[in-house]
Amino acid sequence: MNQKVIKKLVDIVGREFVSTHKEERFFYSRDGGTMEPYLPDVVVLPENSEQISKILCLANENKIPVYCMGAGLTLSGLHRPIKGGILLDIKRMDKILEVNEKSRYVVVEAGVSQGKLQAYLKKNYPHLKHSMPDAPPAATIGGNIAIHGSGHLSFLGGFHSDMVTGLEVVLANGKIMRTGSCSVSNNWFAKAPLPDLSGLFLGWFATTGIITKIGLKLYPAHSLSDVRVLVCEDPDLMSELIYRITDVHIAEDVITWMTPKPLWAKGFLHCNVIYGAKTKKELIFKRDLLFEQVREFIDKKVAGFLPLLPFMKKRFLDVPGKDLVRFADANKGGGFEYVGAMIPSNLFPDAYRIGLEVAEKNRVTYSLGSRIIGNNHCMMFFYAYAFNRADKDDIKKAQNALYETNIKILELGGIPWKAEIPAQKEILKRMDKNTKTLLFKIKNLMDPNHIMSPGNWED
Ligand SMILES: Cc1cc2nc3c(=O)[nH]c(=O)nc-3n(C[C@H](O)[C@H](O)[C@H](O)COP(=O)(O)OP(=O)(O)OC[C@H]3O[C@@H](n4cnc5c(N)ncnc54)[C@H](O)[C@@H]3O)c2cc1C
């Protein structure tokens, strides 16, 4: 890259926050998944929106691609600078700016990590919490909402992007703008009642702007919590059971999981129902209500709750949950990638069978599961395939399994989540023609020089 540009970047953020070192560029070129690496020309760590604005003006002038990374943990390689250029690492933007306790929302910079916000709330507002994904705690709030993430309060509140109350964004032309109530007043309470411009940035993978501040909903943190794990063998029955469980609004989080390891779990479909309460009486009431919802199936002996001692419950109540991370070590070589598929909840049995079929055909170790979103309106079904990072053939096998899963999900009527670039192309192929035309027009309007995350959401 032109030395004059590097010098200007140094002028904007300071020498210690610009790097062209090969080792550092290597680190930013990849993530833990199966997608091939691409080196950025330069890595830049801005401290605030004004610096990002200057960087984007400079990039536009010189037609340099700009990519943005939070923690780089999607596993689908979404931050990879596939056309080189500038890689913006936004982790220095990690201030928690405001907590509105009574209105239950927080305003944070986009680089605040999930772990930092969780720890901050536990310490300063123990009666409030935000919805944590099961990603490692280093994952950023910005990166997660940018991909429509979900987490342990998603049954209550929907996708994490649904929990956004407002955004500050730097546009490709360097202009800093806001969406939601904070664009009119100093309060970040809601996206309504205005035309919802946050939709121009959520799910776009940094192709329309860099999100710099976020208003996010908070929820009551109950002093007590419990989990019940329902088990059955029939995927069609599981679909009905989930429907019954979610018919009473007691849960905070409802997760299903199916995995061949450990052996005792093989062949069974599990559903964790996690709920909180202020008192023991409320907790027991919720447990009994849940039992009544599925009693008919338990009496018929086609489903049942796992007997769990208190110490056994901990692994299911941990936030973030660690089971997916443990799965990375299921095989030698510590690698795994997962495809998430957004599906309507009634497609659960088909989605499950797809996972088994693809895993068997490609001979990959699998872990399947789903998180119920927004009162069972839909679910994020995940297909995780383990691979050995040191074995190219094994990586290829996992890649094939992921690609096949994405295609089958699209055929089923679902949509791949945090789609890798090949899957983005498959989604666009199937998208309504007029919707696609509008999508590209918006992209061109917002980024006429095509500098923002080029390669993503492109035909
Ligand atoms: C073990 C494991 C478990 C996981 N469990 C979950 C889960 O339960 N729920 C879940 O939602 N995810 C989960 N994930 C996926 C992923 O790690 C998370 O979604 C994570 O929050 C992504 O954040 P990040 O900071 O790593 O984003 P990155 O990977 O850095 O970025 C993601 C995308 O957003 C863009 N982006 C990043 N920051 C910005 C910004 N400020 N403005 C505009 N665009 C931006 C990037 O360019 C990229 O396209 C899991 C991952 C792992 C490894």
Side-chain angles (χ1 to χ4, degrees):
M1 181 180 283
N2 182 331
Q3 284 310 307
K4 278 191 194 146
V5 172
I6 305 282
K7 160 90 178 48
K8 284 188 179 160
L9 289 169
V10 168
D11 289 345
I12 296 169
V13 298
R15 178 158 302 283
E16 59 190 307
F17 299 113
V18 176
S19 176
T20 51
H21 288 299
K22 202 161 176 202
E23 292 81 355
E24 267 152 350
R25 292 190 292 128
F26 172 88
F27 172 78
Y28 287 94
S29 68
R30 61 191 63 223
D31 70 6
T34 60
M35 294 289 111
E36 71 273 30
Y38 289 92
L39 284 173
D41 294 309
V42 58
V43 179
V44 183
L45 283 86
E47 192 185 16
N48 52 45
S49 315
E50 289 68 31
Q51 290 183 354
I52 294 185
S53 164
K54 286 181 189 159
I55 295 166
L56 290 184
C57 289
L58 179 67
N60 249 314
E61 232 171 78
N62 294 277
K63 310 239 178 341
I64 300 168
V66 178
Y67 294 84
C68 179
M69 182 179 123
L73 281 166
T74 58
L75 299 176
S76 37
L78 290 179
H79 76 275
R80 289 169 313 145
I82 61 173
K83 302 258 164 80
I86 300 171
L87 189 296
L88 288 181
D89 177 337
I90 56 147
K91 278 196 284 297
R92 284 179 73 214
M93 298 179 56
D94 71 342
K95 288 189 210 68
I96 296 168
L97 301 167
E98 179 195 346
V99 173
N100 188 322
E101 193 177 353
K102 290 290 180 270
S103 293
R104 291 202 189 98
Y105 68 78
V106 61
V107 184
V108 296
E109 288 187 325
V112 167
S113 72
Q114 301 287 346
K116 177 168 178 169
L117 182 57
Q118 184 188 42
Y120 179 84
L121 291 172
K122 264 189 189 163
K123 183 169 173 216
N124 300 293
Y125 300 90
H127 48 285
L128 290 175
K129 60 183 178 180
H130 80 294
S131 181
M132 288 276 289
D134 288 322
T140 63
I141 307 282
N144 188 255
I145 59 155
I147 60 166
H148 291 301
S150 56
H152 85 294
L153 296 176
S154 280
F155 178 70
L156 282 180
F159 292 105
H160 290 161
S161 42
D162 296 329
M163 299 176 189
V164 166
T165 59
L167 295 175
E168 181 192 87
V169 182
V170 185
L171 301 176
N173 62 11
K175 294 246 184 306
I176 303 174
M177 54 91 65
R178 287 180 173 193
T179 72
S181 58
C182 64
S183 66
V184 180
S185 90
N186 283 332
N187 301 315
W188 291 62
F189 55 92
K191 290 183 281 199
L194 305 168
D196 186 6
L197 295 178
S198 61
L200 291 173
F201 308 100
L202 302 172
W204 290 79
F205 306 158
T207 56
T208 48
I210 307 294
I211 300 164
T212 45
K213 291 185 188 129
I214 301 153
L216 199 65
K217 291 180 189 172
L218 299 175
Y219 295 84
H222 296 304
S223 47
L224 300 171
S225 57
D226 201 2
V227 57
R228 303 282 281 158
V229 180
L230 193 66
V231 189
C232 79
E233 284 179 288
D234 177 356
D236 295 299
L237 199 58
M238 185 56 119
S239 202
E240 179 59 23
L241 288 167
I242 295 169
Y243 182 76
R244 298 279 179 108
I245 287 167
T246 55
D247 217 21
V248 279
H249 217 272
I250 62 158
E252 290 188 338
D253 196 11
V254 182
I255 299 178
T256 68
W257 53 280
M258 292 72 71
T259 167
K261 288 180 183 182
L263 265 182
W264 58 262
K266 189 174 177 176
F268 290 107
L269 295 103
H270 302 81
C271 179
N272 299 359
V273 188
I274 295 158
Y275 49 98
K278 285 212 179 305
T279 62
K280 201 140 192 217
K281 199 169 159 195
E282 187 188 344
L283 207 63
I284 291 167
F285 172 76
K286 286 183 169 171
R287 183 198 65 193
D288 292 347
L289 204 55
L290 186 60
F291 185 83
E292 282 311 315
Q293 283 301 105
V294 294
R295 175 195 285 277
E296 181 192 335
F297 300 91
I298 293 174
D299 288 348
K300 281 193 217 152
K301 300 197 182 333
V302 290
F305 285 107
L306 271 188
L308 292 173
L309 294 169
F311 80 91
M312 296 158 92
K313 290 184 178 178
K314 188 178 172 307
R315 71 181 287 171
F316 300 118
L317 291 171
D318 272 349
V319 177
K322 297 190 185 65
D323 279 338
L324 207 49
V325 179
R326 283 188 196 113
F327 173 69
D329 288 325
N331 289 351
K332 184 173 172 254
F336 86 103
E337 177 169 341
Y338 76 94
V339 186
M342 297 305 171
I343 56 167
S345 296
N346 60 296
L347 293 182
F348 174 89
D350 305 285
Y352 171 63
R353 289 186 184 106
I354 285 175
L356 293 185
E357 197 187 306
V358 171
E360 195 172 316
K361 184 178 157 213
N362 292 280
R363 287 178 291 114
V364 286
T365 307
Y366 67 86
S367 174
L368 308 175
S370 67
R371 173 166 259 140
I372 316 297
I373 313 275
N375 207 18
N376 209 28
H377 299 301
C378 74
M379 59 172 66
M380 189 278 282
F381 200 103
F382 67 82
Y383 302 84
Y385 302 123
F387 59 88
N388 182 347
R389 286 181 201 283
D391 181 340
K392 282 206 171 97
D393 293 339
D394 216 30
I395 295 175
K396 192 78 205 147
K397 254 189 347 188
Q399 238 172 27
N400 289 343
L402 290 161
Y403 186 70
E404 262 178 51
T405 310
N406 281 330
I407 298 293
K408 282 183 185 291
I409 282 299
L410 282 162
E411 284 165 0
L412 182 68
I415 302 174
W417 168 58
K418 66 180 175 63
E420 302 87 0
I421 284 179
Q424 290 174 27
K425 293 196 189 306
E426 295 295 337
I427 294 172
L428 288 170
K429 240 194 249 175
R430 289 158 178 83
M431 189 178 272
D432 167 71
K433 202 168 107 274
N434 295 336
T435 308
K436 192 159 85 172
T437 306
L438 179 63
L439 188 144
F440 289 145
K441 273 192 182 162
I442 291 171
K443 255 181 91 195
N444 284 337
L445 181 73
M446 299 187 70
D447 177 27
N449 289 325
H450 304 283
I451 60 159
M452 302 296 291
S453 289
N456 285 282
W457 292 129
E458 277 175 14
D459 238 345

